[in-house]
Amino acid sequence: MSGAIRLAVFDCDGTLVDGQHEICAAMDEAFLALGLRPPAHGAVRRAVGLSLPQTMRHLASEEGIEIQTALVEAYKTAYRTARAEGRVSEPIFAGIRLLLDQLREEGWDLGVATGKSMRGLLHCLQVNALSDHFVTLQTADNHPSKPHPAMLQAALDQAMALPADAVMIGDTTYDIAMARSAGVRAVGVAWGYHPASELIAAGAEAVAMTPADLKDILG
């Protein structure tokens, strides 16, 4: 890498933390609230990383825009209620905290680019004691859904890093496509929601099997 600032941007769900149980539960509640059959959890996991409107377009493609919009709001309500009642658990994957600490010690700046809302991301980072680890946080609140490169471009601007000095790390093909669109290195992780073969096919330069592997890949 050529510049003074090295930036590693992480996806959140499926990369830093495992929130699939809460996501699937809130999705069930949202669909049931509108009298619809909930989608299979496998389909829900595959959509993790997209913004909520995009997710509902995938999961409720046979429904009109009004129903899809209502599903977005129903999901938000279900998730916020679960969080307020203390039912949301988004545990950090084993080895991630050590990896983040090591990268910071080696001079990396860290960021997050996620389909979560900013409120949801801040809560997730707080409960996992990661709030002080990142110099830039980009969410679906103010950007188009992945794989549009807007979130990653904003992260580069805020961190004052060049694309050639940055890497996007994620568990879905949406992360990989976003990185390639932004001219940033793309590295996949195998502990999330899309298989390694799909990440490679999407253009990942490598797929880490463990956080320790990821450390080696980043160099």
PDB file of all heavy atoms in Angstrom, residues 12-13 17-26 29 75-92 116 119-128:
ATOM      1  N   CYS A  12     -20.641  -5.414   9.151  1.00  0.00           N
ATOM      2  CA  CYS A  12     -20.964  -5.715  10.550  1.00  0.00           C
ATOM      3  C   CYS A  12     -21.570  -7.101  10.720  1.00  0.00           C
ATOM      4  O   CYS A  12     -20.886  -8.037  11.117  1.00  0.00           O
ATOM      5  CB  CYS A  12     -21.891  -4.640  11.110  1.00  0.00           C
ATOM      6  SG  CYS A  12     -22.166  -4.803  12.891  1.00  0.00           S
ATOM      7  N   ASP A  13     -22.851  -7.258  10.377  1.00  0.00           N
ATOM      8  CA  ASP A  13     -23.521  -8.549  10.564  1.00  0.00           C
ATOM      9  C   ASP A  13     -22.898  -9.621   9.675  1.00  0.00           C
ATOM     10  O   ASP A  13     -22.822  -9.460   8.455  1.00  0.00           O
ATOM     11  CB  ASP A  13     -25.016  -8.431  10.235  1.00  0.00           C
ATOM     12  CG  ASP A  13     -25.773  -7.637  11.278  1.00  0.00           C
ATOM     13  OD1 ASP A  13     -25.700  -8.001  12.462  1.00  0.00           O
ATOM     14  OD2 ASP A  13     -26.434  -6.652  10.907  1.00  0.00           O
ATOM     15  N   VAL A  17     -20.014  -9.352  13.891  1.00  0.00           N
ATOM     16  CA  VAL A  17     -20.913  -9.956  14.887  1.00  0.00           C
ATOM     17  C   VAL A  17     -21.881 -10.911  14.207  1.00  0.00           C
ATOM     18  O   VAL A  17     -22.124 -10.830  12.993  1.00  0.00           O
ATOM     19  CB  VAL A  17     -21.714  -8.878  15.662  1.00  0.00           C
ATOM     20  CG1 VAL A  17     -20.777  -7.881  16.323  1.00  0.00           C
ATOM     21  CG2 VAL A  17     -22.705  -8.169  14.747  1.00  0.00           C
ATOM     22  N   ASP A  18     -22.463 -11.795  15.022  1.00  0.00           N
ATOM     23  CA  ASP A  18     -23.453 -12.742  14.521  1.00  0.00           C
ATOM     24  C   ASP A  18     -24.824 -12.356  15.044  1.00  0.00           C
ATOM     25  O   ASP A  18     -25.191 -12.677  16.172  1.00  0.00           O
ATOM     26  CB  ASP A  18     -23.100 -14.161  14.968  1.00  0.00           C
ATOM     27  CG  ASP A  18     -24.005 -15.204  14.343  1.00  0.00           C
ATOM     28  OD1 ASP A  18     -24.852 -14.826  13.512  1.00  0.00           O
ATOM     29  OD2 ASP A  18     -23.870 -16.391  14.673  1.00  0.00           O
ATOM     30  N   GLY A  19     -25.581 -11.653  14.214  1.00  0.00           N
ATOM     31  CA  GLY A  19     -26.902 -11.207  14.625  1.00  0.00           C
ATOM     32  C   GLY A  19     -28.024 -11.903  13.886  1.00  0.00           C
ATOM     33  O   GLY A  19     -29.155 -11.407  13.862  1.00  0.00           O
ATOM     34  N   GLN A  20     -27.741 -13.078  13.302  1.00  0.00           N
ATOM     35  CA  GLN A  20     -28.730 -13.708  12.437  1.00  0.00           C
ATOM     36  C   GLN A  20     -30.005 -14.108  13.182  1.00  0.00           C
ATOM     37  O   GLN A  20     -31.102 -14.027  12.623  1.00  0.00           O
ATOM     38  CB  GLN A  20     -28.136 -14.924  11.728  1.00  0.00           C
ATOM     39  CG  GLN A  20     -27.698 -16.053  12.625  1.00  0.00           C
ATOM     40  CD  GLN A  20     -27.223 -17.259  11.820  1.00  0.00           C
ATOM     41  OE1 GLN A  20     -27.944 -17.799  10.998  1.00  0.00           O
ATOM     42  NE2 GLN A  20     -25.976 -17.665  12.048  1.00  0.00           N
ATOM     43  N   HIS A  21     -29.888 -14.533  14.436  1.00  0.00           N
ATOM     44  CA  HIS A  21     -31.083 -14.956  15.167  1.00  0.00           C
ATOM     45  C   HIS A  21     -32.062 -13.804  15.310  1.00  0.00           C
ATOM     46  O   HIS A  21     -33.268 -13.953  15.059  1.00  0.00           O
ATOM     47  CB  HIS A  21     -30.702 -15.486  16.548  1.00  0.00           C
ATOM     48  CG  HIS A  21     -31.887 -15.821  17.402  1.00  0.00           C
ATOM     49  ND1 HIS A  21     -32.648 -16.957  17.207  1.00  0.00           N
ATOM     50  CD2 HIS A  21     -32.479 -15.157  18.425  1.00  0.00           C
ATOM     51  CE1 HIS A  21     -33.646 -16.981  18.084  1.00  0.00           C
ATOM     52  NE2 HIS A  21     -33.555 -15.899  18.839  1.00  0.00           N
ATOM     53  N   GLU A  22     -31.557 -12.635  15.694  1.00  0.00           N
ATOM     54  CA  GLU A  22     -32.416 -11.477  15.897  1.00  0.00           C
ATOM     55  C   GLU A  22     -32.988 -10.973  14.581  1.00  0.00           C
ATOM     56  O   GLU A  22     -34.143 -10.551  14.507  1.00  0.00           O
ATOM     57  CB  GLU A  22     -31.635 -10.366  16.596  1.00  0.00           C
ATOM     58  CG  GLU A  22     -31.361 -10.616  18.057  1.00  0.00           C
ATOM     59  CD  GLU A  22     -30.316 -11.708  18.309  1.00  0.00           C
ATOM     60  OE1 GLU A  22     -29.557 -12.025  17.369  1.00  0.00           O
ATOM     61  OE2 GLU A  22     -30.279 -12.235  19.426  1.00  0.00           O
ATOM     62  N   ILE A  23     -32.185 -11.006  13.540  1.00  0.00           N
ATOM     63  CA  ILE A  23     -32.652 -10.567  12.221  1.00  0.00           C
ATOM     64  C   ILE A  23     -33.781 -11.464  11.730  1.00  0.00           C
ATOM     65  O   ILE A  23     -34.828 -10.988  11.276  1.00  0.00           O
ATOM     66  CB  ILE A  23     -31.485 -10.560  11.216  1.00  0.00           C
ATOM     67  CG1 ILE A  23     -30.477  -9.460  11.570  1.00  0.00           C
ATOM     68  CG2 ILE A  23     -32.001 -10.363   9.785  1.00  0.00           C
ATOM     69  CD1 ILE A  23     -29.180  -9.532  10.797  1.00  0.00           C
ATOM     70  N   CYS A  24     -33.592 -12.764  11.838  1.00  0.00           N
ATOM     71  CA  CYS A  24     -34.620 -13.704  11.387  1.00  0.00           C
ATOM     72  C   CYS A  24     -35.887 -13.592  12.232  1.00  0.00           C
ATOM     73  O   CYS A  24     -37.009 -13.650  11.698  1.00  0.00           O
ATOM     74  CB  CYS A  24     -34.081 -15.134  11.431  1.00  0.00           C
ATOM     75  SG  CYS A  24     -32.815 -15.496  10.177  1.00  0.00           S
ATOM     76  N   ALA A  25     -35.733 -13.411  13.542  1.00  0.00           N
ATOM     77  CA  ALA A  25     -36.898 -13.292  14.420  1.00  0.00           C
ATOM     78  C   ALA A  25     -37.702 -12.038  14.092  1.00  0.00           C
ATOM     79  O   ALA A  25     -38.944 -12.072  14.028  1.00  0.00           O
ATOM     80  CB  ALA A  25     -36.453 -13.271  15.882  1.00  0.00           C
ATOM     81  N   ALA A  26     -37.010 -10.913  13.872  1.00  0.00           N
ATOM     82  CA  ALA A  26     -37.706  -9.672  13.529  1.00  0.00           C
ATOM     83  C   ALA A  26     -38.373  -9.775  12.166  1.00  0.00           C
ATOM     84  O   ALA A  26     -39.467  -9.228  11.954  1.00  0.00           O
ATOM     85  CB  ALA A  26     -36.733  -8.494  13.561  1.00  0.00           C
ATOM     86  N   GLU A  29     -41.612 -11.666  12.595  1.00  0.00           N
ATOM     87  CA  GLU A  29     -42.630 -10.809  13.194  1.00  0.00           C
ATOM     88  C   GLU A  29     -43.193  -9.812  12.181  1.00  0.00           C
ATOM     89  O   GLU A  29     -44.400  -9.540  12.159  1.00  0.00           O
ATOM     90  CB  GLU A  29     -42.053 -10.061  14.396  1.00  0.00           C
ATOM     91  CG  GLU A  29     -41.763 -10.936  15.604  1.00  0.00           C
ATOM     92  CD  GLU A  29     -41.339 -10.110  16.802  1.00  0.00           C
ATOM     93  OE1 GLU A  29     -41.873  -8.998  16.986  1.00  0.00           O
ATOM     94  OE2 GLU A  29     -40.464 -10.571  17.550  1.00  0.00           O
ATOM     95  N   TYR A  75     -40.615  -4.371  10.319  1.00  0.00           N
ATOM     96  CA  TYR A  75     -39.338  -4.933  10.762  1.00  0.00           C
ATOM     97  C   TYR A  75     -38.659  -3.989  11.760  1.00  0.00           C
ATOM     98  O   TYR A  75     -38.169  -4.426  12.809  1.00  0.00           O
ATOM     99  CB  TYR A  75     -38.411  -5.181   9.571  1.00  0.00           C
ATOM    100  CG  TYR A  75     -37.053  -5.704   9.969  1.00  0.00           C
ATOM    101  CD1 TYR A  75     -36.808  -7.070  10.051  1.00  0.00           C
ATOM    102  CD2 TYR A  75     -36.013  -4.837  10.293  1.00  0.00           C
ATOM    103  CE1 TYR A  75     -35.567  -7.557  10.433  1.00  0.00           C
ATOM    104  CE2 TYR A  75     -34.775  -5.308  10.685  1.00  0.00           C
ATOM    105  CZ  TYR A  75     -34.560  -6.665  10.746  1.00  0.00           C
ATOM    106  OH  TYR A  75     -33.324  -7.136  11.139  1.00  0.00           O
ATOM    107  N   LYS A  76     -38.635  -2.708  11.443  1.00  0.00           N
ATOM    108  CA  LYS A  76     -38.021  -1.734  12.347  1.00  0.00           C
ATOM    109  C   LYS A  76     -38.697  -1.774  13.713  1.00  0.00           C
ATOM    110  O   LYS A  76     -38.026  -1.749  14.755  1.00  0.00           O
ATOM    111  CB  LYS A  76     -38.113  -0.330  11.760  1.00  0.00           C
ATOM    112  CG  LYS A  76     -37.229  -0.074  10.550  1.00  0.00           C
ATOM    113  CD  LYS A  76     -37.427   1.351  10.056  1.00  0.00           C
ATOM    114  CE  LYS A  76     -36.558   1.667   8.862  1.00  0.00           C
ATOM    115  NZ  LYS A  76     -36.799   3.049   8.352  1.00  0.00           N
ATOM    116  N   THR A  77     -40.016  -1.842  13.713  1.00  0.00           N
ATOM    117  CA  THR A  77     -40.762  -1.882  14.970  1.00  0.00           C
ATOM    118  C   THR A  77     -40.424  -3.131  15.764  1.00  0.00           C
ATOM    119  O   THR A  77     -40.186  -3.071  16.981  1.00  0.00           O
ATOM    120  CB  THR A  77     -42.273  -1.827  14.694  1.00  0.00           C
ATOM    121  OG1 THR A  77     -42.596  -0.583  14.062  1.00  0.00           O
ATOM    122  CG2 THR A  77     -43.063  -1.957  15.987  1.00  0.00           C
ATOM    123  N   ALA A  78     -40.389  -4.271  15.080  1.00  0.00           N
ATOM    124  CA  ALA A  78     -40.088  -5.539  15.755  1.00  0.00           C
ATOM    125  C   ALA A  78     -38.685  -5.520  16.343  1.00  0.00           C
ATOM    126  O   ALA A  78     -38.464  -5.965  17.486  1.00  0.00           O
ATOM    127  CB  ALA A  78     -40.247  -6.700  14.781  1.00  0.00           C
ATOM    128  N   TYR A  79     -37.736  -4.999  15.581  1.00  0.00           N
ATOM    129  CA  TYR A  79     -36.347  -5.012  16.047  1.00  0.00           C
ATOM    130  C   TYR A  79     -36.154  -4.026  17.199  1.00  0.00           C
ATOM    131  O   TYR A  79     -35.480  -4.342  18.189  1.00  0.00           O
ATOM    132  CB  TYR A  79     -35.399  -4.677  14.897  1.00  0.00           C
ATOM    133  CG  TYR A  79     -33.998  -5.202  15.113  1.00  0.00           C
ATOM    134  CD1 TYR A  79     -33.610  -6.433  14.604  1.00  0.00           C
ATOM    135  CD2 TYR A  79     -33.065  -4.477  15.849  1.00  0.00           C
ATOM    136  CE1 TYR A  79     -32.341  -6.925  14.802  1.00  0.00           C
ATOM    137  CE2 TYR A  79     -31.793  -4.960  16.062  1.00  0.00           C
ATOM    138  CZ  TYR A  79     -31.441  -6.183  15.534  1.00  0.00           C
ATOM    139  OH  TYR A  79     -30.174  -6.670  15.752  1.00  0.00           O
ATOM    140  N   ARG A  80     -36.745  -2.848  17.077  1.00  0.00           N
ATOM    141  CA  ARG A  80     -36.615  -1.859  18.149  1.00  0.00           C
ATOM    142  C   ARG A  80     -37.251  -2.359  19.439  1.00  0.00           C
ATOM    143  O   ARG A  80     -36.714  -2.147  20.530  1.00  0.00           O
ATOM    144  CB  ARG A  80     -37.248  -0.540  17.719  1.00  0.00           C
ATOM    145  CG  ARG A  80     -36.448   0.226  16.674  1.00  0.00           C
ATOM    146  CD  ARG A  80     -37.249   1.386  16.129  1.00  0.00           C
ATOM    147  NE  ARG A  80     -36.500   2.102  15.107  1.00  0.00           N
ATOM    148  CZ  ARG A  80     -37.044   2.972  14.254  1.00  0.00           C
ATOM    149  NH1 ARG A  80     -38.345   3.228  14.327  1.00  0.00           N
ATOM    150  NH2 ARG A  80     -36.305   3.571  13.346  1.00  0.00           N
ATOM    151  N   THR A  81     -38.390  -3.028  19.317  1.00  0.00           N
ATOM    152  CA  THR A  81     -39.050  -3.581  20.499  1.00  0.00           C
ATOM    153  C   THR A  81     -38.170  -4.645  21.149  1.00  0.00           C
ATOM    154  O   THR A  81     -38.015  -4.663  22.387  1.00  0.00           O
ATOM    155  CB  THR A  81     -40.413  -4.196  20.119  1.00  0.00           C
ATOM    156  OG1 THR A  81     -41.248  -3.165  19.579  1.00  0.00           O
ATOM    157  CG2 THR A  81     -41.090  -4.807  21.330  1.00  0.00           C
ATOM    158  N   ALA A  82     -37.602  -5.509  20.342  1.00  0.00           N
ATOM    159  CA  ALA A  82     -36.716  -6.548  20.880  1.00  0.00           C
ATOM    160  C   ALA A  82     -35.510  -5.933  21.576  1.00  0.00           C
ATOM    161  O   ALA A  82     -35.095  -6.383  22.650  1.00  0.00           O
ATOM    162  CB  ALA A  82     -36.273  -7.483  19.761  1.00  0.00           C
ATOM    163  N   ARG A  83     -34.964  -4.873  20.983  1.00  0.00           N
ATOM    164  CA  ARG A  83     -33.805  -4.219  21.592  1.00  0.00           C
ATOM    165  C   ARG A  83     -34.193  -3.555  22.911  1.00  0.00           C
ATOM    166  O   ARG A  83     -33.470  -3.662  23.905  1.00  0.00           O
ATOM    167  CB  ARG A  83     -33.231  -3.187  20.619  1.00  0.00           C
ATOM    168  CG  ARG A  83     -31.943  -2.511  21.109  1.00  0.00           C
ATOM    169  CD  ARG A  83     -31.268  -1.780  19.977  1.00  0.00           C
ATOM    170  NE  ARG A  83     -32.158  -0.807  19.362  1.00  0.00           N
ATOM    171  CZ  ARG A  83     -32.143  -0.505  18.064  1.00  0.00           C
ATOM    172  NH1 ARG A  83     -31.308  -1.122  17.245  1.00  0.00           N
ATOM    173  NH2 ARG A  83     -32.964   0.406  17.582  1.00  0.00           N
ATOM    174  N   ALA A  84     -35.341  -2.892  22.925  1.00  0.00           N
ATOM    175  CA  ALA A  84     -35.791  -2.225  24.147  1.00  0.00           C
ATOM    176  C   ALA A  84     -36.078  -3.217  25.264  1.00  0.00           C
ATOM    177  O   ALA A  84     -35.890  -2.903  26.445  1.00  0.00           O
ATOM    178  CB  ALA A  84     -37.043  -1.403  23.857  1.00  0.00           C
ATOM    179  N   GLU A  85     -36.495  -4.423  24.911  1.00  0.00           N
ATOM    180  CA  GLU A  85     -36.802  -5.449  25.895  1.00  0.00           C
ATOM    181  C   GLU A  85     -35.596  -6.321  26.240  1.00  0.00           C
ATOM    182  O   GLU A  85     -35.720  -7.297  26.974  1.00  0.00           O
ATOM    183  CB  GLU A  85     -37.944  -6.322  25.377  1.00  0.00           C
ATOM    184  CG  GLU A  85     -39.266  -5.570  25.227  1.00  0.00           C
ATOM    185  CD  GLU A  85     -40.371  -6.416  24.623  1.00  0.00           C
ATOM    186  OE1 GLU A  85     -40.079  -7.559  24.179  1.00  0.00           O
ATOM    187  OE2 GLU A  85     -41.521  -5.937  24.592  1.00  0.00           O
ATOM    188  N   GLY A  86     -34.437  -5.954  25.701  1.00  0.00           N
ATOM    189  CA  GLY A  86     -33.221  -6.695  26.008  1.00  0.00           C
ATOM    190  C   GLY A  86     -33.127  -8.045  25.343  1.00  0.00           C
ATOM    191  O   GLY A  86     -32.394  -8.929  25.810  1.00  0.00           O
ATOM    192  N   ARG A  87     -33.847  -8.222  24.220  1.00  0.00           N
ATOM    193  CA  ARG A  87     -33.844  -9.513  23.535  1.00  0.00           C
ATOM    194  C   ARG A  87     -32.870  -9.565  22.363  1.00  0.00           C
ATOM    195  O   ARG A  87     -32.810 -10.572  21.664  1.00  0.00           O
ATOM    196  CB  ARG A  87     -35.249  -9.848  23.039  1.00  0.00           C
ATOM    197  CG  ARG A  87     -36.249 -10.107  24.155  1.00  0.00           C
ATOM    198  CD  ARG A  87     -37.590 -10.577  23.612  1.00  0.00           C
ATOM    199  NE  ARG A  87     -38.396  -9.490  23.071  1.00  0.00           N
ATOM    200  CZ  ARG A  87     -38.741  -9.361  21.784  1.00  0.00           C
ATOM    201  NH1 ARG A  87     -38.306 -10.248  20.901  1.00  0.00           N
ATOM    202  NH2 ARG A  87     -39.500  -8.353  21.382  1.00  0.00           N
ATOM    203  N   VAL A  88     -32.121  -8.506  22.150  1.00  0.00           N
ATOM    204  CA  VAL A  88     -31.180  -8.478  21.033  1.00  0.00           C
ATOM    205  C   VAL A  88     -29.785  -8.841  21.529  1.00  0.00           C
ATOM    206  O   VAL A  88     -29.226  -8.180  22.407  1.00  0.00           O
ATOM    207  CB  VAL A  88     -31.152  -7.096  20.357  1.00  0.00           C
ATOM    208  CG1 VAL A  88     -30.013  -7.018  19.346  1.00  0.00           C
ATOM    209  CG2 VAL A  88     -32.484  -6.816  19.676  1.00  0.00           C
ATOM    210  N   SER A  89     -29.245  -9.901  20.978  1.00  0.00           N
ATOM    211  CA  SER A  89     -27.871 -10.327  21.275  1.00  0.00           C
ATOM    212  C   SER A  89     -27.116 -10.455  19.964  1.00  0.00           C
ATOM    213  O   SER A  89     -27.516 -11.208  19.084  1.00  0.00           O
ATOM    214  CB  SER A  89     -27.874 -11.673  22.014  1.00  0.00           C
ATOM    215  OG  SER A  89     -26.557 -12.150  22.170  1.00  0.00           O
ATOM    216  N   GLU A  90     -26.067  -9.665  19.825  1.00  0.00           N
ATOM    217  CA  GLU A  90     -25.256  -9.690  18.606  1.00  0.00           C
ATOM    218  C   GLU A  90     -23.805  -9.965  19.000  1.00  0.00           C
ATOM    219  O   GLU A  90     -22.966  -9.065  18.981  1.00  0.00           O
ATOM    220  CB  GLU A  90     -25.376  -8.352  17.871  1.00  0.00           C
ATOM    221  CG  GLU A  90     -26.792  -8.039  17.423  1.00  0.00           C
ATOM    222  CD  GLU A  90     -26.935  -6.616  16.909  1.00  0.00           C
ATOM    223  OE1 GLU A  90     -26.636  -5.674  17.662  1.00  0.00           O
ATOM    224  OE2 GLU A  90     -27.336  -6.459  15.746  1.00  0.00           O
ATOM    225  N   PRO A  91     -23.504 -11.197  19.366  1.00  0.00           N
ATOM    226  CA  PRO A  91     -22.165 -11.497  19.883  1.00  0.00           C
ATOM    227  C   PRO A  91     -21.077 -11.339  18.832  1.00  0.00           C
ATOM    228  O   PRO A  91     -21.263 -11.684  17.666  1.00  0.00           O
ATOM    229  CB  PRO A  91     -22.294 -12.960  20.329  1.00  0.00           C
ATOM    230  CG  PRO A  91     -23.392 -13.514  19.476  1.00  0.00           C
ATOM    231  CD  PRO A  91     -24.370 -12.396  19.307  1.00  0.00           C
ATOM    232  N   ILE A  92     -19.967 -10.799  19.266  1.00  0.00           N
ATOM    233  CA  ILE A  92     -18.824 -10.650  18.393  1.00  0.00           C
ATOM    234  C   ILE A  92     -18.223 -12.028  18.107  1.00  0.00           C
ATOM    235  O   ILE A  92     -18.186 -12.891  18.984  1.00  0.00           O
ATOM    236  CB  ILE A  92     -17.778  -9.706  19.032  1.00  0.00           C
ATOM    237  CG1 ILE A  92     -16.668  -9.366  18.041  1.00  0.00           C
ATOM    238  CG2 ILE A  92     -17.228 -10.283  20.319  1.00  0.00           C
ATOM    239  CD1 ILE A  92     -15.749  -8.262  18.541  1.00  0.00           C
ATOM    240  N   LYS A 116     -27.057  -1.877   8.368  1.00  0.00           N
ATOM    241  CA  LYS A 116     -27.756  -1.479   9.583  1.00  0.00           C
ATOM    242  C   LYS A 116     -28.073   0.015   9.566  1.00  0.00           C
ATOM    243  O   LYS A 116     -27.462   0.792   8.823  1.00  0.00           O
ATOM    244  CB  LYS A 116     -26.868  -1.740  10.813  1.00  0.00           C
ATOM    245  CG  LYS A 116     -26.793  -3.162  11.310  1.00  0.00           C
ATOM    246  CD  LYS A 116     -25.923  -3.206  12.550  1.00  0.00           C
ATOM    247  CE  LYS A 116     -25.887  -4.568  13.198  1.00  0.00           C
ATOM    248  NZ  LYS A 116     -27.198  -4.977  13.732  1.00  0.00           N
ATOM    249  N   ARG A 119     -28.425   3.912  14.367  1.00  0.00           N
ATOM    250  CA  ARG A 119     -28.854   3.593  15.728  1.00  0.00           C
ATOM    251  C   ARG A 119     -28.531   2.143  16.067  1.00  0.00           C
ATOM    252  O   ARG A 119     -28.022   1.844  17.146  1.00  0.00           O
ATOM    253  CB  ARG A 119     -30.352   3.854  15.875  1.00  0.00           C
ATOM    254  CG  ARG A 119     -30.916   3.537  17.259  1.00  0.00           C
ATOM    255  CD  ARG A 119     -32.389   3.873  17.326  1.00  0.00           C
ATOM    256  NE  ARG A 119     -32.967   3.567  18.618  1.00  0.00           N
ATOM    257  CZ  ARG A 119     -34.223   3.794  18.947  1.00  0.00           C
ATOM    258  NH1 ARG A 119     -35.051   4.337  18.065  1.00  0.00           N
ATOM    259  NH2 ARG A 119     -34.676   3.486  20.147  1.00  0.00           N
ATOM    260  N   GLY A 120     -28.838   1.247  15.150  1.00  0.00           N
ATOM    261  CA  GLY A 120     -28.560  -0.163  15.385  1.00  0.00           C
ATOM    262  C   GLY A 120     -27.074  -0.453  15.466  1.00  0.00           C
ATOM    263  O   GLY A 120     -26.632  -1.248  16.300  1.00  0.00           O
ATOM    264  N   LEU A 121     -26.292   0.195  14.608  1.00  0.00           N
ATOM    265  CA  LEU A 121     -24.847  -0.021  14.628  1.00  0.00           C
ATOM    266  C   LEU A 121     -24.236   0.481  15.924  1.00  0.00           C
ATOM    267  O   LEU A 121     -23.410  -0.205  16.544  1.00  0.00           O
ATOM    268  CB  LEU A 121     -24.195   0.671  13.435  1.00  0.00           C
ATOM    269  CG  LEU A 121     -22.668   0.601  13.381  1.00  0.00           C
ATOM    270  CD1 LEU A 121     -22.168  -0.830  13.348  1.00  0.00           C
ATOM    271  CD2 LEU A 121     -22.133   1.397  12.193  1.00  0.00           C
ATOM    272  N   LEU A 122     -24.620   1.686  16.349  1.00  0.00           N
ATOM    273  CA  LEU A 122     -24.058   2.235  17.582  1.00  0.00           C
ATOM    274  C   LEU A 122     -24.385   1.356  18.786  1.00  0.00           C
ATOM    275  O   LEU A 122     -23.540   1.144  19.663  1.00  0.00           O
ATOM    276  CB  LEU A 122     -24.569   3.651  17.808  1.00  0.00           C
ATOM    277  CG  LEU A 122     -24.090   4.708  16.803  1.00  0.00           C
ATOM    278  CD1 LEU A 122     -24.753   6.050  17.080  1.00  0.00           C
ATOM    279  CD2 LEU A 122     -22.571   4.837  16.819  1.00  0.00           C
ATOM    280  N   HIS A 123     -25.603   0.829  18.820  1.00  0.00           N
ATOM    281  CA  HIS A 123     -25.983  -0.083  19.913  1.00  0.00           C
ATOM    282  C   HIS A 123     -25.133  -1.343  19.867  1.00  0.00           C
ATOM    283  O   HIS A 123     -24.623  -1.803  20.904  1.00  0.00           O
ATOM    284  CB  HIS A 123     -27.463  -0.435  19.802  1.00  0.00           C
ATOM    285  CG  HIS A 123     -27.918  -1.408  20.853  1.00  0.00           C
ATOM    286  ND1 HIS A 123     -27.929  -2.773  20.648  1.00  0.00           N
ATOM    287  CD2 HIS A 123     -28.372  -1.214  22.120  1.00  0.00           C
ATOM    288  CE1 HIS A 123     -28.370  -3.376  21.735  1.00  0.00           C
ATOM    289  NE2 HIS A 123     -28.643  -2.458  22.642  1.00  0.00           N
ATOM    290  N   CYS A 124     -24.961  -1.902  18.685  1.00  0.00           N
ATOM    291  CA  CYS A 124     -24.166  -3.115  18.525  1.00  0.00           C
ATOM    292  C   CYS A 124     -22.726  -2.902  18.983  1.00  0.00           C
ATOM    293  O   CYS A 124     -22.159  -3.729  19.710  1.00  0.00           O
ATOM    294  CB  CYS A 124     -24.204  -3.553  17.066  1.00  0.00           C
ATOM    295  SG  CYS A 124     -23.179  -4.996  16.686  1.00  0.00           S
ATOM    296  N   LEU A 125     -22.128  -1.800  18.571  1.00  0.00           N
ATOM    297  CA  LEU A 125     -20.740  -1.522  18.951  1.00  0.00           C
ATOM    298  C   LEU A 125     -20.628  -1.264  20.449  1.00  0.00           C
ATOM    299  O   LEU A 125     -19.660  -1.690  21.094  1.00  0.00           O
ATOM    300  CB  LEU A 125     -20.209  -0.320  18.173  1.00  0.00           C
ATOM    301  CG  LEU A 125     -20.118  -0.490  16.651  1.00  0.00           C
ATOM    302  CD1 LEU A 125     -19.572   0.784  16.013  1.00  0.00           C
ATOM    303  CD2 LEU A 125     -19.250  -1.694  16.274  1.00  0.00           C
ATOM    304  N   GLN A 126     -21.618  -0.596  21.015  1.00  0.00           N
ATOM    305  CA  GLN A 126     -21.572  -0.291  22.443  1.00  0.00           C
ATOM    306  C   GLN A 126     -21.624  -1.565  23.286  1.00  0.00           C
ATOM    307  O   GLN A 126     -20.831  -1.742  24.213  1.00  0.00           O
ATOM    308  CB  GLN A 126     -22.723   0.633  22.825  1.00  0.00           C
ATOM    309  CG  GLN A 126     -22.751   0.996  24.305  1.00  0.00           C
ATOM    310  CD  GLN A 126     -23.934   1.860  24.668  1.00  0.00           C
ATOM    311  OE1 GLN A 126     -24.872   2.016  23.896  1.00  0.00           O
ATOM    312  NE2 GLN A 126     -23.890   2.458  25.844  1.00  0.00           N
ATOM    313  N   VAL A 127     -22.571  -2.451  22.983  1.00  0.00           N
ATOM    314  CA  VAL A 127     -22.726  -3.653  23.812  1.00  0.00           C
ATOM    315  C   VAL A 127     -21.536  -4.589  23.662  1.00  0.00           C
ATOM    316  O   VAL A 127     -21.251  -5.397  24.551  1.00  0.00           O
ATOM    317  CB  VAL A 127     -24.034  -4.396  23.503  1.00  0.00           C
ATOM    318  CG1 VAL A 127     -25.232  -3.521  23.797  1.00  0.00           C
ATOM    319  CG2 VAL A 127     -24.066  -4.898  22.073  1.00  0.00           C
ATOM    320  N   ASN A 128     -20.807  -4.473  22.546  1.00  0.00           N
ATOM    321  CA  ASN A 128     -19.623  -5.302  22.343  1.00  0.00           C
ATOM    322  C   ASN A 128     -18.327  -4.571  22.685  1.00  0.00           C
ATOM    323  O   ASN A 128     -17.241  -5.079  22.400  1.00  0.00           O
ATOM    324  CB  ASN A 128     -19.568  -5.794  20.894  1.00  0.00           C
ATOM    325  CG  ASN A 128     -20.535  -6.936  20.626  1.00  0.00           C
ATOM    326  OD1 ASN A 128     -20.363  -8.035  21.157  1.00  0.00           O
ATOM    327  ND2 ASN A 128     -21.555  -6.682  19.828  1.00  0.00           N
TER     328      ASN A 128
END
